[in-house]
Amino acid sequence: MGNAFDRLGYGTYKLADGEECVSGVAHAIETGYRHIDTAQGYDNEASVSAGIDDTDIDRDDLFVATKLSTDNLSYDDATATARVSRDRLGVDSIDLLYVHWPINTYDPEETLPALDDLVDEGVVDRIGLSNFRPEQLDEAIDRLEHDVFAHQVECHPLLRQETLRERAAEHGHWLVAYSPIARNRVADVGVLQEIAAAHGASPAQVSLAWLLSKDRVAPIPKAANADHVEANWAAREVELTDGEIARIDAIDREERIVDFEEAPWNQV
């Protein structure tokens, strides 16, 4: 088994391959992040590796996750490209490999055995799924020989994902929350503004603190700006009261940031 999982991770979505990603990852690690999230589809795995190399932190002290692209989900493509990702990331084994989306070439009869075999062969330490509907998640958990370690979905105070958080608690996996500050739409939510003011924090920090208050939820905010990277990390120090958490739970507004016609939730 690979490295220890850290609940507050650093997302690299839309960090351009090259200096932006290299410096972003290096600064995040220097700030304290130990969980780095990327994907084949981000086209920056090599830059993530270079960013790690620019620090004094041993790779064994980091938790590096990546995701299979939707065109690479046949058995042969999944097993072959996972090895390519491992090499690009410069790791002995990938700490966590997700199926990025259960669309396009996703086939439970091919994709899921590929994940199991990648674990058996030591290419991957842990299996992850991403953007699965509850029934798709249940089917995958039933089919897989190895446990699902994490399910990654959009989750924030405006998309609270109660059903999928319940699934995580039931099955014992992590719900990894992407877009955890809703691309800063949380900044114009009155409840979050009020709670933030009470803590001398920002609504974004309150959103991250709310996610961290939940059982088996791990947010992975993406930030290129160094100040934002540090501010997100500082959200760990924001301690919300039970009353404040309840107020956030009761926000009467729902917005999904990542949405498109082929998305799984639009296919029901």
Side-chain angles (χ1 to χ4, degrees):
M1 184 62 69
N3 310 322
F5 178 73
D6 195 330
R7 284 187 68 187
L8 184 59
Y10 180 68
T12 63
Y13 175 63
K14 285 198 173 178
L15 282 184
D17 188 39
E19 182 53 34
E20 181 184 47
C21 184
V22 172
S23 60
V25 168
H27 181 68
I29 293 170
E30 289 162 356
T31 300
Y33 295 83
R34 295 295 178 264
H35 168 192
I36 310 297
D37 181 271
T38 184
Q40 292 176 347
Y42 301 169
D43 293 323
N44 62 11
E45 289 173 326
S47 291
V48 168
S49 179
I52 294 170
D53 286 341
D54 275 358
T55 73
D56 295 327
I57 302 300
D58 193 287
R59 284 176 187 261
D60 289 342
D61 294 326
L62 299 175
F63 186 99
V64 181
T66 192
K67 310 176 195 75
L68 293 167
S69 293
T70 58
D71 291 337
N72 294 333
L73 298 177
S74 70
Y75 182 91
D76 290 344
D77 288 344
T79 52
T81 63
R83 288 174 166 80
V84 174
S85 288
R86 176 192 59 183
D87 294 343
R88 276 196 297 250
L89 290 167
V91 294
D92 293 330
S93 61
I94 299 169
D95 291 305
L96 174 60
L97 180 69
Y98 294 94
V99 172
H100 204 159
W101 293 89
I103 60 175
N104 294 356
T105 61
Y106 177 70
D107 180 348
E109 294 185 3
E110 288 215 15
T111 311
L112 301 177
L115 295 176
D116 278 326
D117 288 351
L118 285 164
V119 172
D120 290 340
E121 294 162 15
V123 179
V124 171
D125 289 335
R126 303 168 182 85
I127 291 171
L129 307 172
S130 185
N131 296 302
F132 280 51
R133 296 194 310 268
E135 65 273 17
Q136 291 176 310
L137 179 63
D138 291 342
E139 178 192 23
I141 288 171
D142 288 344
R143 280 178 173 267
L144 284 162
E145 296 176 5
H146 293 284
D147 292 339
V148 170
F149 180 81
H151 181 215
Q152 185 174 141
V153 293
E154 179 181 345
C155 186
H156 45 73
L158 302 180
L159 187 68
R160 293 182 290 280
Q161 299 284 21
E162 289 91 343
T163 298
L164 290 174
R165 284 194 283 116
E166 288 170 3
R167 286 292 202 286
E170 175 187 349
H171 292 294
H173 60 254
W174 289 96
L175 185 141
V176 174
Y178 71 75
S179 296
I181 61 174
R183 296 185 185 163
N184 212 32
R185 291 189 192 179
V186 296
D188 65 2
V189 178
V191 169
L192 298 175
Q193 293 171 343
E194 293 168 13
I195 295 171
H199 287 270
S202 68
Q205 289 174 319
V206 169
S207 297
L208 293 171
W210 174 79
L211 287 163
L212 290 168
S213 78
K214 299 301 184 183
D215 185 41
R216 302 202 70 80
V217 175
I220 50 167
K222 171 259 176 180
N225 179 280
D227 290 341
H228 292 165
V229 170
E230 294 168 15
N232 291 341
W233 185 248
R236 296 157 58 253
E237 308 304 322
V238 177
E239 296 187 13
L240 301 176
T241 67
D242 290 344
E244 289 168 336
I245 292 169
R247 288 184 69 195
I248 297 171
D249 288 343
I251 289 173
D252 186 21
R253 176 175 163 186
E254 181 170 303
E255 293 185 27
R256 186 185 287 277
I257 304 300
V258 178
D259 199 14
F260 54 98
E261 185 177 348
E262 296 81 13
W265 47 85
N266 292 326
Q267 303 306 308
V268 292

